[in-house]
Amino acid sequence: MNAEILKKASSVYFTLLKDKVIDETSEHFQSYYEPDVRQAVMMLADESGTFIIESPKRIHLVVQPTGSVFATNFTHMKERHRHIENKKHFHLMSVIIMSFMAMIDKNQAAKIRTKREGITFYALERHVNELMSKWAAMLKEDPSIAHDEMIDMQEIVTTWTHMEVDTDEFSVRKGNRRTRIGVIAGAMKLLETEGLIIVLDREDIPKALPKTELFERIEFLYHDYDRYEQMKRLVASEEEEYAEDPSN
């Protein structure tokens, strides 16, 4: 491998580390598709426990769940996202994110609508609340289901149930980690930080707009994981298509 190829590959890889995504307008996008450079980038990714997702207009860098020098445990996640108080809040946020993804990961028409109109935090709160009610009923009927599904359902349901839905002022509740809207805001902040959604806050009605990058992650990464499909099944609304307009 000559020095020029190594230099190009390093520029591509470290740009991916910094920005997470390179789109077709970047000079690094063109460099990446030079065969020798692409091979070198793949090697760098493999050695560091990361991997590349290629879509027609973007290149994504994703960290392997285990064995990566960039992998973070919960402690490191807390240091980066200080609004996450403890593991039960982290688990709840994970379920909220999964619920959001299940709401947008439907047919093409639904994807176009949610990309254009977004999903309000209030619609997401209602969806998660329906999920918690469903999980509570499932646990009452069969307490072993949480163990079978490998999810701490009881703690998540309890944490959510004991949270206030709202406070009088939106500016207060948005920043209050102990309200449902507050924890939803925290969960959406995780996706926003990763450049996967845009959060709009207009007229006290916050909403999350999924970006193309998130749809590509779902299509090229998560659909290959049985666990994603299993979780999607568990968090799907009883209505399947969630009849209410998600922008309400």
Side-chain angles (χ1 to χ4, degrees), residues 65-180:
T66 58
S68 173
V69 298
F70 301 108
T72 56
N73 57 26
F74 176 74
T75 301
H76 293 152
M77 181 66 79
K78 277 192 67 174
E79 290 173 357
R80 182 175 178 185
H81 302 285
R82 296 185 181 279
H83 56 284
I84 303 176
E85 296 184 9
N86 49 44
K87 285 188 177 180
K88 66 181 181 181
H89 279 86
F90 178 72
H91 293 158
L92 176 56
M93 283 185 178
S94 297
V95 171
I96 290 169
I97 290 172
M98 188 64 230
S99 297
F100 176 76
M101 291 170 66
M103 291 175 75
I104 69 172
D105 187 19
K106 295 179 179 176
N107 57 46
Q108 190 62 28
K111 291 179 180 179
I112 293 171
R113 184 180 68 246
T114 53
K115 188 175 180 181
R116 181 180 67 247
E117 300 174 1
I119 294 175
T120 68
F121 288 10
Y122 303 109
L124 182 54
E125 189 275 334
R126 289 192 293 272
H127 189 272
V128 174
N129 197 53
E130 288 178 6
L131 169 65
M132 295 303 157
S133 297
K134 183 171 71 174
W135 280 10
M138 291 165 62
L139 287 167
K140 185 175 181 179
E141 182 177 339
D142 180 10
S144 68
I145 190 171
H147 179 269
D148 296 340
E149 300 289 358
M150 296 180 291
I151 301 174
D152 194 353
M153 288 183 175
Q154 188 62 65
E155 185 173 75
I156 292 170
V157 170
T158 301
T159 302
W160 175 265
T161 302
H162 287 88
M163 283 183 163
E164 294 180 45
V165 178
D166 266 335
T167 62
D168 292 335
E169 297 181 27
F170 172 73
S171 59
V172 174
R173 68 174 175 263
K174 183 177 70 171
N176 189 337
R177 305 165 190 171
R178 291 179 172 81
T179 67
R180 293 179 183 177

Side-chain angles (χ1 to χ4, degrees), residues 100 188-189 191-192 195-199 208-211 214:
F100 176 76
M188 294 300 98
K189 184 67 176 177
L191 293 179
E192 185 183 34
L196 299 176
I197 66 170
I198 297 170
V199 175
L209 284 77
K211 296 174 66 176
L214 179 56

Side-chain angles (χ1 to χ4, degrees), residues 36-47:
D36 290 340
V37 173
R38 181 174 179 273
Q39 183 180 2
V41 173
M42 292 288 190
M43 182 182 68
L44 288 169
D46 185 61
E47 289 297 319

